[in-house]
PDB file of all heavy atoms in Angstrom:
ATOM      1  N   LEU A 144      -6.802  35.628  -5.341  1.00 98.00           N
ATOM      2  CA  LEU A 144      -8.191  35.525  -5.812  1.00 98.00           C
ATOM      3  C   LEU A 144      -8.949  34.609  -4.927  1.00 98.00           C
ATOM      4  O   LEU A 144      -8.498  33.493  -4.667  1.00 98.00           O
ATOM      5  CB  LEU A 144      -8.192  35.029  -7.290  1.00 98.00           C
ATOM      6  CG  LEU A 144      -9.602  34.817  -7.862  1.00 98.00           C
ATOM      7  CD1 LEU A 144     -10.346  36.135  -8.017  1.00 98.00           C
ATOM      8  CD2 LEU A 144      -9.488  34.120  -9.210  1.00 98.00           C
ATOM      9  N   ILE A 145     -10.117  35.011  -4.480  1.00 98.00           N
ATOM     10  CA  ILE A 145     -10.938  34.230  -3.539  1.00 98.00           C
ATOM     11  C   ILE A 145     -12.330  34.023  -4.149  1.00 98.00           C
ATOM     12  O   ILE A 145     -12.961  34.956  -4.614  1.00 98.00           O
ATOM     13  CB  ILE A 145     -11.105  34.934  -2.214  1.00 98.00           C
ATOM     14  CG1 ILE A 145      -9.717  35.269  -1.587  1.00 98.00           C
ATOM     15  CG2 ILE A 145     -11.903  34.091  -1.225  1.00 98.00           C
ATOM     16  CD1 ILE A 145      -9.771  36.229  -0.441  1.00 98.00           C
ATOM     17  N   GLY A 146     -12.813  32.784  -4.121  1.00 97.00           N
ATOM     18  CA  GLY A 146     -14.151  32.508  -4.636  1.00 97.00           C
ATOM     19  C   GLY A 146     -14.362  31.029  -4.679  1.00 97.00           C
ATOM     20  O   GLY A 146     -13.544  30.201  -4.223  1.00 97.00           O
ATOM     21  N   GLN A 147     -15.514  30.611  -5.170  1.00 96.00           N
ATOM     22  CA  GLN A 147     -15.837  29.169  -5.320  1.00 96.00           C
ATOM     23  C   GLN A 147     -16.871  29.008  -6.403  1.00 96.00           C
ATOM     24  O   GLN A 147     -17.235  29.947  -7.070  1.00 96.00           O
ATOM     25  CB  GLN A 147     -16.263  28.612  -3.970  1.00 96.00           C
ATOM     26  CG  GLN A 147     -17.492  29.248  -3.366  1.00 96.00           C
ATOM     27  CD  GLN A 147     -17.839  28.655  -1.987  1.00 96.00           C
ATOM     28  OE1 GLN A 147     -17.540  27.475  -1.685  1.00 96.00           O
ATOM     29  NE2 GLN A 147     -18.422  29.442  -1.134  1.00 96.00           N
ATOM     30  N   SER A 148     -17.295  27.794  -6.551  1.00 94.00           N
ATOM     31  CA  SER A 148     -18.350  27.458  -7.525  1.00 94.00           C
ATOM     32  C   SER A 148     -17.865  27.746  -8.967  1.00 94.00           C
ATOM     33  O   SER A 148     -16.826  27.196  -9.370  1.00 94.00           O
ATOM     34  CB  SER A 148     -19.639  28.216  -7.224  1.00 94.00           C
ATOM     35  OG  SER A 148     -20.716  27.716  -7.955  1.00 94.00           O
ATOM     36  N   ASP A 149     -18.507  28.627  -9.641  1.00 94.00           N
ATOM     37  CA  ASP A 149     -18.123  28.978 -11.047  1.00 94.00           C
ATOM     38  C   ASP A 149     -16.708  29.541 -11.132  1.00 94.00           C
ATOM     39  O   ASP A 149     -16.076  29.453 -12.160  1.00 94.00           O
ATOM     40  CB  ASP A 149     -19.141  30.010 -11.578  1.00 94.00           C
ATOM     41  CG  ASP A 149     -18.929  30.383 -13.006  1.00 94.00           C
ATOM     42  OD1 ASP A 149     -18.931  29.510 -13.890  1.00 94.00           O
ATOM     43  OD2 ASP A 149     -18.720  31.568 -13.236  1.00 94.00           O
ATOM     44  N   VAL A 150     -16.237  30.119 -10.015  1.00 97.00           N
ATOM     45  CA  VAL A 150     -14.895  30.754 -10.011  1.00 97.00           C
ATOM     46  C   VAL A 150     -13.802  29.658 -10.076  1.00 97.00           C
ATOM     47  O   VAL A 150     -12.627  29.993 -10.273  1.00 97.00           O
ATOM     48  CB  VAL A 150     -14.741  31.640  -8.761  1.00 97.00           C
ATOM     49  CG1 VAL A 150     -13.495  32.539  -8.889  1.00 97.00           C
ATOM     50  CG2 VAL A 150     -15.971  32.542  -8.562  1.00 97.00           C
ATOM     51  N   THR A 151     -14.152  28.414  -9.839  1.00 97.00           N
ATOM     52  CA  THR A 151     -13.203  27.320  -9.832  1.00 97.00           C
ATOM     53  C   THR A 151     -12.295  27.347 -11.104  1.00 97.00           C
ATOM     54  O   THR A 151     -11.075  27.136 -10.985  1.00 97.00           O
ATOM     55  CB  THR A 151     -13.955  25.956  -9.853  1.00 97.00           C
ATOM     56  OG1 THR A 151     -14.622  25.801  -8.628  1.00 97.00           O
ATOM     57  CG2 THR A 151     -12.975  24.792 -10.082  1.00 97.00           C
ATOM     58  N   CYS A 152     -12.860  27.630 -12.264  1.00 97.00           N
ATOM     59  CA  CYS A 152     -12.057  27.591 -13.459  1.00 97.00           C
ATOM     60  C   CYS A 152     -10.942  28.603 -13.451  1.00 97.00           C
ATOM     61  O   CYS A 152      -9.933  28.477 -14.207  1.00 97.00           O
ATOM     62  CB  CYS A 152     -12.936  27.769 -14.717  1.00 97.00           C
ATOM     63  SG  CYS A 152     -13.896  29.269 -14.763  1.00 97.00           S
ATOM     64  N   LEU A 153     -11.060  29.686 -12.687  1.00 98.00           N
ATOM     65  CA  LEU A 153     -10.005  30.664 -12.531  1.00 98.00           C
ATOM     66  C   LEU A 153      -9.074  30.313 -11.410  1.00 98.00           C
ATOM     67  O   LEU A 153      -7.836  30.478 -11.506  1.00 98.00           O
ATOM     68  CB  LEU A 153     -10.638  32.081 -12.278  1.00 98.00           C
ATOM     69  CG  LEU A 153     -11.507  32.606 -13.383  1.00 98.00           C
ATOM     70  CD1 LEU A 153     -12.235  33.859 -12.928  1.00 98.00           C
ATOM     71  CD2 LEU A 153     -10.654  32.916 -14.632  1.00 98.00           C
ATOM     72  N   LEU A 154      -9.579  29.814 -10.316  1.00 98.00           N
ATOM     73  CA  LEU A 154      -8.759  29.464  -9.143  1.00 98.00           C
ATOM     74  C   LEU A 154      -7.669  28.489  -9.491  1.00 98.00           C
ATOM     75  O   LEU A 154      -6.504  28.630  -9.056  1.00 98.00           O
ATOM     76  CB  LEU A 154      -9.667  28.874  -8.024  1.00 98.00           C
ATOM     77  CG  LEU A 154     -10.779  29.724  -7.426  1.00 98.00           C
ATOM     78  CD1 LEU A 154     -11.571  28.896  -6.389  1.00 98.00           C
ATOM     79  CD2 LEU A 154     -10.211  31.001  -6.794  1.00 98.00           C
ATOM     80  N   VAL A 155      -8.017  27.466 -10.305  1.00 98.00           N
ATOM     81  CA  VAL A 155      -7.054  26.412 -10.570  1.00 98.00           C
ATOM     82  C   VAL A 155      -5.997  26.865 -11.589  1.00 98.00           C
ATOM     83  O   VAL A 155      -5.003  26.124 -11.805  1.00 98.00           O
ATOM     84  CB  VAL A 155      -7.725  25.129 -11.017  1.00 98.00           C
ATOM     85  CG1 VAL A 155      -8.624  24.583  -9.958  1.00 98.00           C
ATOM     86  CG2 VAL A 155      -8.531  25.318 -12.342  1.00 98.00           C
ATOM     87  N   GLN A 156      -6.143  28.015 -12.197  1.00 97.00           N
ATOM     88  CA  GLN A 156      -5.106  28.523 -13.094  1.00 97.00           C
ATOM     89  C   GLN A 156      -4.006  29.236 -12.348  1.00 97.00           C
ATOM     90  O   GLN A 156      -2.853  29.343 -12.831  1.00 97.00           O
ATOM     91  CB  GLN A 156      -5.727  29.561 -14.088  1.00 97.00           C
ATOM     92  CG  GLN A 156      -6.931  29.066 -14.867  1.00 97.00           C
ATOM     93  CD  GLN A 156      -6.698  27.830 -15.711  1.00 97.00           C
ATOM     94  OE1 GLN A 156      -5.637  27.711 -16.306  1.00 97.00           O
ATOM     95  NE2 GLN A 156      -7.641  26.941 -15.688  1.00 97.00           N
ATOM     96  N   MET A 157      -4.265  29.706 -11.147  1.00 97.00           N
ATOM     97  CA  MET A 157      -3.380  30.625 -10.450  1.00 97.00           C
ATOM     98  C   MET A 157      -2.000  30.018 -10.088  1.00 97.00           C
ATOM     99  O   MET A 157      -0.969  30.626 -10.310  1.00 97.00           O
ATOM    100  CB  MET A 157      -4.033  31.216  -9.236  1.00 97.00           C
ATOM    101  CG  MET A 157      -5.344  31.963  -9.528  1.00 97.00           C
ATOM    102  SD  MET A 157      -5.235  33.235 -10.845  1.00 97.00           S
ATOM    103  CE  MET A 157      -4.292  34.445  -9.995  1.00 97.00           C
ATOM    104  N   PRO A 158      -1.995  28.791  -9.489  1.00 97.00           N
ATOM    105  CA  PRO A 158      -0.640  28.268  -9.064  1.00 97.00           C
ATOM    106  C   PRO A 158       0.308  28.048 -10.232  1.00 97.00           C
ATOM    107  O   PRO A 158       1.519  28.216 -10.057  1.00 97.00           O
ATOM    108  CB  PRO A 158      -1.030  26.954  -8.410  1.00 97.00           C
ATOM    109  CG  PRO A 158      -2.403  27.138  -7.936  1.00 97.00           C
ATOM    110  CD  PRO A 158      -3.099  27.945  -8.979  1.00 97.00           C
ATOM    111  N   GLY A 159      -0.214  27.729 -11.387  1.00 95.00           N
ATOM    112  CA  GLY A 159       0.655  27.501 -12.524  1.00 95.00           C
ATOM    113  C   GLY A 159       0.894  28.753 -13.355  1.00 95.00           C
ATOM    114  O   GLY A 159       2.060  29.051 -13.688  1.00 95.00           O
ATOM    115  N   ARG A 160      -0.130  29.493 -13.676  1.00 95.00           N
ATOM    116  CA  ARG A 160       0.014  30.635 -14.559  1.00 95.00           C
ATOM    117  C   ARG A 160       0.522  31.904 -13.852  1.00 95.00           C
ATOM    118  O   ARG A 160       1.183  32.713 -14.433  1.00 95.00           O
ATOM    119  CB  ARG A 160      -1.301  30.915 -15.284  1.00 95.00           C
ATOM    120  CG  ARG A 160      -1.746  29.776 -16.163  1.00 95.00           C
ATOM    121  CD  ARG A 160      -2.963  30.099 -16.959  1.00 95.00           C
ATOM    122  NE  ARG A 160      -3.443  28.918 -17.678  1.00 95.00           N
ATOM    123  CZ  ARG A 160      -2.969  28.512 -18.853  1.00 95.00           C
ATOM    124  NH1 ARG A 160      -2.055  29.168 -19.456  1.00 95.00           N
ATOM    125  NH2 ARG A 160      -3.465  27.408 -19.408  1.00 95.00           N
TER     126      ARG A 160
END
Side-chain angles (χ1 to χ4, degrees):
L144 175 66
I145 304 167
Q147 59 184 331
S148 193
D149 182 59
V150 193
T151 293
C152 58
L153 297 171
L154 299 177
V155 297
Q156 308 301 320
M157 304 307 289
R160 297 185 187 276

